[in-house]
Amino acid sequence: MRSTLVRIGIPILLRAPVTNSVFLVPTLVQRFGGAGLSSSVCDRKFLPENSRNRVQHTTRGFASNAVFRTMTASKYQVVERGAPNSTDYRVYFKNENGQSISPLHDIPLFANDERTVYNMVVEVPRWTNAKMEISLGEGLNPIKQDVKKGKLRFVANCFPHHGYIWNYGAFPQTWENPDHLDADTGCKGDNDPIDVLEIGSRIAKRGDVLQVKILGTIALIDEGETDWKIITINVNDPVADQVNDIADVETVFPGLLRASVEWFKIYKIPDGKPENQFAFNGEAKDAAFATKTVAETHRFWQQLVNKEVDNNGISCLNTTVDGSPYLVANDAADEVFAKSSTGGNPEPVSETLDKWHYITLK
């Protein structure tokens, strides 16, 4: 997917627009070009070497602006453990009574009785770079930073974007079953809760639990696995009433869908990976399709937490799921939290935060 990479290490005096809710998207339609996904993409981990001449890549300096904060959201509280910017850092969740809970299992998927509003757990606030995610293998499933080769992982700044361009997170009580072959994509699930992009104007905080409505979805194929990205908006956003389906996104946020597909196509290229691929030629599916997809992953989660299928290394410890073999008393959950690390050795600020990459898809 890439030709020779041109790296220009020129520092520039810019501050990242972390408080600006305007989406930084290109004005040229040609920036959003790209080939569609063939049916064989699920059968291969990487694209052929000779196809890498489609991408031109330049690296430049970018000012660092990483911020770590403690926050509370709705009726849930978050508690940080371990030193920030270390491999010991964790964000645990407690309910309104101060009891330890799992954000994956104990926060309901649905936020209203009509099942039209969903709870979203924010892992990565907009404009930030740290690749934070719900830890599947640890008891109570705290949020932690992904680690690669012993180092904390950050996503690169790919022009014109700074870090993540939406509030990024997951729906609780969902699971993309790695043993299930998706009929629409022809690929199996990625063993994670389903990912969520929240496109409203507010920059959320790590650990926020937002109430969102589903607008549509795009289907990333990540190294041969189906990785759904559900597009949502906070129901309290000023324009939420104007955005009810995928067509409304293009009307109210012109260019955002194209920018989102481009972001996922290029964000791994600075790490030496090929361009990511999409099902449906990168076209977004509507709210009805996305709602059906989420419902299916919710059913998979129910099978998981009720021990009807192998847990695939996922900790299913919970305090609220009636009938679950993994259900534990509150004091047992609190004990798991109490044993978590309070130390850690902070790493130096990653050079990823100080660079931006110009990548052109041809």
Side-chain angles (χ1 to χ4, degrees), residues 18 65-69 128 206:
V18 294
N65 197 1
V67 180
F68 293 90
R69 288 171 290 191
T128 64
R206 184 181 305 140

Side-chain angles (χ1 to χ4, degrees), residues 68 85-87 89-90 129-133 143-147 152-154:
F68 293 90
N85 206 47
S86 79
T87 56
Y89 178 73
R90 299 289 186 275
N129 301 74
K131 193 176 188 306
M132 310 297 295
E133 57 188 23
I143 292 175
K144 69 172 185 178
Q145 190 164 352
D146 190 24
V147 175
L152 297 175
R153 187 176 171 193
F154 297 84

Side-chain angles (χ1 to χ4, degrees), residues 100-118:
S100 300
I101 62 170
S102 161
L104 177 58
H105 306 301
D106 293 313
I107 295 176
L109 171 61
F110 300 103
N112 64 348
D113 293 336
E114 295 76 19
R115 297 193 167 198
T116 56
V117 178
Y118 297 75

Side-chain angles (χ1 to χ4, degrees), residues 21-291:
S21 62
V22 177
F23 290 101
L24 301 181
V25 296
T27 56
L28 300 178
V29 173
Q30 55 264 39
R31 273 192 58 78
F32 303 106
L37 174 69
S38 71
S39 60
S40 62
V41 73
C42 298
D43 299 327
R44 60 195 180 192
K45 291 288 184 180
F46 299 98
L47 296 177
E49 193 71 27
N50 61 9
S51 68
R52 294 186 177 184
N53 58 0
R54 298 178 59 246
V55 179
Q56 189 176 42
H57 176 191
T58 303
T59 303
R60 301 195 179 196
F62 200 92
S64 172
N65 197 1
V67 180
F68 293 90
R69 288 171 290 191
T70 304
M71 77 299 292
T72 58
S74 64
K75 62 181 180 180
Y76 301 101
Q77 307 169 19
V78 299
V79 181
E80 293 177 301
R81 300 279 281 184
N85 206 47
S86 79
T87 56
D88 287 337
Y89 178 73
R90 299 289 186 275
V91 178
Y92 284 87
F93 286 71
K94 292 179 178 288
N95 63 17
E96 57 191 341
N97 298 319
Q99 297 167 337
S100 300
I101 62 170
S102 161
L104 177 58
H105 306 301
D106 293 313
I107 295 176
L109 171 61
F110 300 103
N112 64 348
D113 293 336
E114 295 76 19
R115 297 193 167 198
T116 56
V117 178
Y118 297 75
N119 285 314
M120 169 198 178
V121 178
V122 176
E123 298 163 310
V124 186
R126 182 185 290 117
W127 306 136
T128 64
N129 301 74
K131 193 176 188 306
M132 310 297 295
E133 57 188 23
I134 292 172
S135 176
L136 300 181
E138 299 180 26
L140 298 181
N141 312 110
I143 292 175
K144 69 172 185 178
Q145 190 164 352
D146 190 24
V147 175
K148 184 177 182 180
K149 296 181 179 179
K151 297 291 185 181
L152 297 175
R153 187 176 171 193
F154 297 84
V155 300
N157 300 308
C158 295
F159 180 84
H161 317 300
H162 180 260
Y164 288 74
I165 64 174
W166 342 256
N167 295 313
Y168 186 86
F171 278 148
Q173 298 188 343
T174 62
W175 177 53
E176 295 186 76
N177 187 345
D179 295 323
H180 172 73
L181 186 67
D182 190 280
D184 294 301
T185 67
C187 299
K188 294 184 177 181
D190 68 351
N191 200 40
D192 285 332
I194 201 165
D195 293 324
V196 183
L197 318 178
E198 193 280 315
I199 65 173
S201 59
R202 174 178 172 265
I203 298 175
K205 300 175 182 178
R206 184 181 305 140
D208 275 358
V209 180
L210 304 181
Q211 284 68 59
V212 302
K213 60 180 175 180
I214 291 176
L215 306 175
T217 187
I218 50 180
L220 176 67
I221 305 300
D222 191 355
E223 299 185 10
E225 296 176 334
T226 302
D227 190 4
W228 294 105
K229 308 296 180 183
I230 306 299
I231 301 163
T232 71
I233 191 167
N234 190 328
V235 295
N236 296 314
D237 191 84
V239 300
D241 290 344
Q242 303 174 40
V243 189
N244 297 294
D245 213 327
I246 200 65
D248 301 326
V249 176
E250 185 61 29
T251 300
V252 178
F253 301 100
L256 178 56
L257 291 176
R258 293 171 182 167
S260 298
V261 170
E262 182 197 61
W263 191 97
F264 282 111
K265 282 185 175 182
I266 69 178
Y267 85 103
K268 289 184 179 180
I269 290 177
D271 296 327
K273 297 287 186 70
E275 174 189 338
N276 271 332
Q277 300 295 297
F278 279 84
F280 318 118
N281 295 319
E283 295 178 4
K285 294 295 186 178
D286 63 16
F289 184 100
T291 299

